[in-house]
Amino acid sequence: MKLKFKIILGILSLVLLAQLIRPEELYSAKAQQVKRLAGVPEEVAKVLETSCFDCHSSQTSWRWFDRLTPVNFLVASHIRDGRKVLDFSQWDSLATPQRNAMLYFALNGMLSKEMPLSSYTALHPAAKLDQKDIDLLRAYLLNNAVSKPASIESNSKGAAQPSVMEVKRSPNGITYLPNYRNWKAISTTERFDNGTIRIIFGNPIAVKAIHEGKTNPWPDGTIFAKTAWKQEQSKDGSVYAGQFVQVEFMIKDVKQYVGTKGWGWARWKGENLLPYGKTVKFDSECISCHRPERDHDYVFTTPLDIRDLNKKIR
C-alpha cells in the first residue's frame, strides 16, 4: 500500500509541476477585447464572436480545462494556426473588399462543416452553429456585402478576354496557359463578396476524369482555369459578364507540387494579365482558402458531366 501511495503521490507531483510549464499564448492572449465588427449587424457579429473569436482573434477566452498542461499546448497551437488563416483582430485595418472576403472565407468554412472544429465544440457547446446562424451570415453577404454590379452605361468593355502578348510567369514559376479558352466549361461558382461572374474550365484530362467519375483524387495532369468577370446589369435587370477581372489556374502534379498539396496555383489579374503574388510563398493563401475541401482533393468545384445532363434533358 505504501508503494502504491508513493507512486500516486509521485504522479500527482509531476502533474502539478507540469502546470508551471505553459505556452506563451496563455499569458499574452489575456482576452484583449476586440471591438464589435464595424459595419456588421449585431446579430451577425454575435455569431462570429461566439463561434470564431476564440481561435481567430486576440479575444481568447481560456476555460479552466484549456489551461491544464499539456492540453494548453494543443489549444495554443490551434490558436496560432487559426490566427494565421483568419484574424478578426485586423478588421479595423482592412478595406471593405478585404472584410467581405474575410466573411466569405468564414462562411465557406461553416458551409463545409470545417469550422468550428468538432473537437472544439465538444468542449465549448455554445460555439456550435445551427442552420439559422449560417443562413444569417449567408443572407447578410448576399443582401449587404455584395459589390453592386455596374450598370450597362458604366463604360463596359464587354466580356472578351484580353489579348495575349508576352505574359510574365507567376512568382512560383508557373507559365500562363492561353489555350484554356478552348477547354470545356465544367461549372460555375459564386462569390458573394465582390460581384463577379465566374466560370471554371477543365482541360481534356479533367473532362475525361469527370466522365469516368475519377475526381477524388483528380489525376495528374488535371488543370482548372477559373475565370472572373465583373457583373454588368442592363436596364431590364438582366446580368451578364462585363470587364475581365482575373484567371486562376490549379494544376495537378503530385510529385512536382508535393509542397503545396499536389497542386500548382497561379493567378493573373486584369486585362494586362499581371501575375499575382509578391513572393513564391503567395500560394499559401490559395491552400488556406481551399483547406476546407481537403477531403475532396482541395477542389471546391462540383463538376457537371455534360453527357449525363443531356440524358436528363432528353
Side-chain angles (χ1 to χ4, degrees), residues 100-265:
N100 291 340
M102 182 179 284
L103 294 178
Y104 176 83
F105 182 85
L107 175 62
N108 186 44
M110 296 174 187
L111 291 173
S112 63
K113 302 188 185 301
E114 179 77 9
M115 290 293 161
L117 293 172
S118 56
S119 58
Y120 173 77
T121 55
L123 296 175
H124 306 80
K128 283 185 178 180
L129 290 164
D130 57 28
Q131 193 58 46
K132 182 180 178 182
D133 296 325
I134 296 174
D135 289 344
L136 185 66
L137 178 56
R138 184 185 179 97
Y140 170 69
L141 285 169
L142 283 170
N143 298 323
N144 300 286
V146 178
S147 302
K148 293 181 179 179
S151 66
I152 195 169
E153 292 84 6
S154 63
N155 193 29
S156 168
K157 296 183 180 181
Q161 287 275 330
S163 60
V164 179
M165 298 292 191
E166 185 178 347
V167 182
K168 291 183 179 179
R169 293 189 176 202
S170 175
N172 57 5
I174 292 177
T175 303
Y176 177 72
L177 303 172
N179 65 325
Y180 77 86
R181 286 169 285 182
N182 298 322
W183 299 348
K184 286 189 177 181
I186 60 172
S187 188
T188 61
T189 186
E190 296 176 294
R191 276 299 297 266
F192 306 132
D193 59 307
N194 59 15
T196 56
I197 293 174
R198 295 173 178 238
I199 299 175
I200 296 131
F201 297 88
N203 72 342
I205 294 177
V207 173
K208 183 174 183 289
I210 293 169
H211 291 338
E212 295 178 351
K214 299 177 180 178
T215 60
N216 193 17
W218 292 86
D220 272 14
T222 293
I223 307 178
F224 301 116
K226 181 166 67 175
T227 55
W229 296 271
K230 279 293 184 183
Q231 292 181 9
E232 298 286 0
Q233 188 173 28
S234 61
K235 290 182 179 180
D236 65 2
S238 58
V239 175
Y240 60 93
Q243 186 176 11
F244 176 78
V245 176
Q246 65 182 29
V247 58
E248 300 173 291
F249 292 98
M250 282 181 68
I251 305 171
K252 185 67 180 289
D253 190 320
V254 173
K255 292 183 178 178
Q256 183 175 356
Y257 302 116
V258 64
T260 51
K261 311 302 182 184
W263 291 94
W265 317 76

